[in-house]
Amino acid sequence: MQRSALSPLHAGRSSSCFACAGRGDSEWCSLEGNDLNLLNQAKVANTYLPGQTIFYQGNACLGIFCVESGTVAIRKNDQNGNSVIVRLAHRGDTLGYRSYFAGQPYQANAEALVSARVCFVDKAAVRRLLEHNPSVGLAFLRKMAHNLEDAEQERLMAATLPVRARLAHLLLVMKDRFGKVEDNGDLTIDLPLSRQDIAAMLGARPETVARAVRSLEDSGTAKFKGRLVSVPDLDALMDALELSD
């Protein structure tokens, strides 16, 4: 039985598509004229609170989603019903397109980690845009190729890097979106992830991640307090990428 996503905090149409207004990295950036007007008229922008579900794994694919702001967690359920985060989506990222092109149900859950504004374009509008502008389809093909390459790099990291180094890498990735420099010069990262989610993203057991956390703390590289991470020396965190457990 399909599940319905929670009602968004706010729904409405935007006056102009953010992805097509000078963002050269968007799949929609080649649209102009009537095609751009069609996209702007067809898409609906919704605001989701943290924890609200945008779409469910197994539900029929009704269209494609674009993240206008915020962070969205992509979760997959295993055969035992456990939910793990497989990746994060940020501003400018597109969701659900692989299910659309494969003609399959959504292959994961999408959940707002923080307050997020997400646009939805229904299947009929996507089909018309692809028919009118083949360059959009080529852009999605390039995105699939890049995602495949990223997945291969992640598997390589999981096979070759110790958990301590993988945790340091995750913190370095998170600092640009969730970090700030305090008055004393320390970098503080407000992680949007639980320890269990971090373990899932690193492909490690929670107790192994706990040992990696203690290792970073014992070396003075980082201090963990709940989801807040304090990094006194960014260079030391970068050096942790090259050090073994």
Side-chain angles (χ1 to χ4, degrees):
M1 181 176 65
Q2 292 190 354
R3 291 180 292 176
S4 299
L6 296 175
S7 298
L9 179 66
H10 173 74
R13 298 187 183 276
S14 300
S15 58
S16 178
C17 181
F18 82 101
C20 298
R23 289 187 58 84
D25 56 347
S26 165
E27 293 77 37
W28 311 107
C29 67
S30 64
L31 296 178
E32 56 185 15
N34 291 335
D35 290 339
L36 180 56
N37 290 334
L38 172 61
L39 177 62
N40 283 324
Q41 293 170 7
K43 73 182 183 66
V44 177
N46 298 317
T47 299
Y48 296 86
L49 293 175
Q52 283 193 299
T53 299
I54 300 165
F55 58 81
Y56 281 106
Q57 180 177 337
N59 276 16
C61 176
L62 302 179
I64 293 177
F65 297 82
C66 302
V67 182
E68 182 173 338
S69 64
T71 298
V72 175
I74 308 302
R75 294 180 177 272
K76 279 185 174 288
N77 297 323
D78 63 19
Q79 59 184 3
N80 297 319
N82 299 314
S83 175
V84 297
I85 292 180
V86 294
R87 68 182 178 93
L88 299 179
H90 307 285
R91 183 179 186 269
D93 288 337
T94 312
L95 310 175
Y97 66 93
R98 283 183 291 182
S99 296
Y100 170 83
F101 284 103
Q104 297 177 338
Y106 294 119
Q107 299 300 297
N109 299 336
E111 171 192 306
L113 271 187
V114 299
S115 181
R117 186 170 172 83
V118 181
C119 296
F120 172 73
V121 185
D122 66 69
K123 292 172 61 174
V126 174
R127 184 172 59 253
R128 291 198 299 273
L129 289 169
L130 291 170
E131 291 173 349
H132 295 168
N133 199 321
S135 62
V136 174
L138 291 175
F140 276 108
L141 285 176
R142 286 194 294 269
K143 184 177 184 67
M144 292 179 195
H146 288 315
N147 285 346
L148 180 59
E149 181 179 358
D150 291 343
E152 291 175 347
Q153 288 296 323
E154 290 174 1
R155 286 197 294 270
L156 179 62
M157 288 181 59
T160 59
L161 291 181
V163 174
R164 185 178 189 271
R166 279 181 267 162
L167 177 58
H169 178 265
L170 179 62
L171 294 177
L172 288 169
V173 171
M174 292 290 182
K175 74 176 179 61
D176 293 333
R177 297 183 183 277
F178 304 104
K180 66 176 181 179
V181 178
E182 304 293 348
D183 293 338
N184 63 0
D186 288 359
L187 171 68
T188 299
I189 307 172
D190 189 1
L191 295 175
L193 305 169
S194 67
R195 290 289 177 89
Q196 184 175 355
D197 289 333
I198 290 174
M201 291 196 69
L202 298 180
R205 298 175 64 85
E207 53 267 30
T208 306
V209 173
R211 289 195 294 270
V213 167
R214 287 196 298 271
S215 177
L216 291 177
E217 289 188 322
D218 291 344
S219 65
T221 303
K223 181 180 294 184
F224 293 76
K225 185 177 181 181
R227 296 193 180 191
L228 285 177
V229 183
S230 178
V231 180
D233 186 351
L234 187 59
D235 288 337
L237 183 61
M238 297 180 68
D239 289 342
L241 288 172
E242 302 176 0
L243 300 177
S244 61
D245 283 322

